[in-house]
């Protein structure tokens, strides 16, 4: 019974760690990127994405949320369809920042649970972070796909590929990391539109060198006498000499 209580306590701390990391990333890091680069209110932007966030929480799948994400971006946040149709499908496939965070924490938790945390060392933790980031890119946008790529991360640092302990709470954590994945896609679309606003024709690009308007009297002093109907050397035309 004591072992059961200790195990549940470890799982509770593991869940708290994952959720804390997802909250920091989703409500601090990503909004800061949106605010600094795109110059938009990130929380108003998030409010307009509420339906997509709820769909991501309910389905645990960024691929299933894709149509709702596109509609919320285009209709509520007024993101250009040329940006959303390119960015969001790619993001739903490779932008798995919530999954990467989850896999790194899960790998360290399994090392602690099996008594092999001291074997990791600093190098092992760095390898864990890099492998979790790369493995998350290949994760499918379906529920609990991170468990499959987590085995790759565990193998890379010579840990036993046993995920039976965390699978009991993965169904719950998967919903939150899917929300962060979708939220990251939305932030990316907003940033790309801002950076590409001139190329998309959403904002007129200001002239690099404003045209100088020179008075006629100054032109006369620059170019000398002007004949009736003549043309100045700089291209100005005068029909009558004053």
């Amino acid at each position: 019974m004591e072992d059961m209580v200790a195990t549940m306590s470890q799982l509770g701390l593991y869940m708290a760690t994952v959720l804390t990391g997802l909250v920091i990333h989703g409500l601090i890091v990503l909004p800061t990127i949106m605010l600094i680069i795109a110059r938009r209110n990130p929380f108003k932007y998030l409010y307009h994405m509420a339906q997509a966030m709820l769909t991501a929480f309910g389905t645990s799948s960024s691929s299933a949320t894709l149509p709702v994400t596109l509609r919320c971006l285009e209709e509520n946040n007024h993101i250009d369809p040329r940006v959303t149709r390119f960015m969001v499908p790619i993001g739903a496939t490779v932008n798995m920042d919530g999954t990467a965070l989850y896999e790194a924490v899960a790998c360290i938790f399994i090392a602690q649970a099996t008594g092999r945390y001291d074997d990791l060392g600093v190098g092992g933790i760095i390898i864990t972070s890099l492998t979790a980031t790369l493995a998350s890119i290949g994760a499918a946008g379906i529920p609990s796909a991170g468990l499959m790529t987590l085995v790759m991360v565990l193998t890379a640092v010579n840990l036993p590929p046993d995920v039976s302990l965390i699978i009991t709470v993965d169904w719950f954590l998967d919903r939150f990391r899917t929300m962060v994945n979708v939220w990251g896609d939305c932030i990316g679309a907003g940033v790309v539109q801002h950076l590409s606003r001139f190329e998309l024709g959403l904002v007129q690009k200001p002239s690099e060198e404003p045209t100088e308007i020179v008075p006629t009297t100054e032109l006369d002093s620059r170019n000398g006498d002007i004949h009736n109907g003549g043309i100045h050397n700089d291209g100005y035309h005068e029909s009558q000499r004053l």
Side-chain angles (χ1 to χ4, degrees):
M1 185 65 182
E2 293 181 357
D3 292 340
M4 178 66 68
V5 173
T7 301
M8 295 301 295
S9 176
Q10 291 178 349
L11 280 176
L13 292 175
Y14 161 70
M15 293 176 62
T17 303
V18 173
L19 292 176
T20 301
L22 292 176
V23 168
I24 292 174
H25 184 69
L27 297 182
I28 297 178
V29 177
L30 292 178
T32 301
I33 294 174
M34 185 71 168
L35 183 63
I36 293 176
I37 299 180
R39 309 284 181 163
R40 294 185 64 170
N41 185 339
F43 297 105
K44 183 178 180 181
Y45 191 86
L46 177 61
Y47 173 76
H48 291 154
M49 296 300 305
Q51 188 174 3
M53 295 297 104
L54 291 176
T55 305
F57 182 83
T59 62
S60 299
S61 172
S62 54
S63 297
T65 314
L66 185 59
V68 184
T69 304
L70 290 172
R71 183 166 57 82
C72 290
L73 284 172
E74 296 172 7
E75 296 181 4
N76 299 341
N77 282 318
H78 309 292
I79 303 298
D80 193 284
R82 290 171 292 179
V83 176
T84 59
R85 304 304 167 89
F86 175 75
M87 287 293 300
V88 178
I90 293 179
T93 305
V94 300
N95 182 37
M96 301 290 185
D97 38 3
T99 302
L101 186 150
Y102 160 80
E103 290 183 355
V105 176
C107 184
I108 295 176
F109 169 73
I110 291 176
Q112 292 175 336
T114 56
R116 300 183 60 179
Y117 177 74
D118 294 335
D119 297 338
L120 282 179
V122 177
I125 294 176
I126 294 176
I127 293 175
T128 299
S129 302
L130 293 177
T131 308
T133 303
L134 296 175
S136 66
I137 296 176
I142 59 175
S144 298
L147 287 176
M148 306 304 168
T149 54
L150 178 59
V151 175
M152 299 170 52
V153 180
L154 293 171
T155 304
V157 291
N158 296 321
L159 290 175
D162 185 7
V163 296
S164 58
L165 185 60
I166 63 175
I167 201 172
T168 56
V169 296
D170 181 74
W171 65 272
F172 180 72
L173 297 176
D174 188 24
R175 300 175 184 277
F176 291 95
R177 66 175 185 259
T178 302
M179 292 176 65
V180 174
N181 291 340
V182 173
W183 177 225
D185 300 341
C186 301
I187 293 290
V191 169
V192 168
Q193 172 166 286
H194 179 77
L195 296 178
S196 306
R197 61 192 183 280
F198 297 126
E199 290 78 5
L200 294 171
L202 302 177
V203 179
Q204 185 177 3
K205 190 172 184 180
S207 176
E208 296 179 357
E209 296 182 357
T211 305
E212 179 183 3
I213 301 177
V214 182
T216 306
T217 55
E218 188 175 344
L219 286 174
D220 291 343
S221 63
R222 290 184 184 180
N223 301 324
D225 295 334
I226 304 174
H227 297 286
N228 293 336
I231 301 178
H232 293 291
N233 293 332
D234 56 1
Y236 283 90
H237 178 270
E238 184 175 302
S239 60
Q240 183 178 2
R241 179 181 178 183
L242 299 177

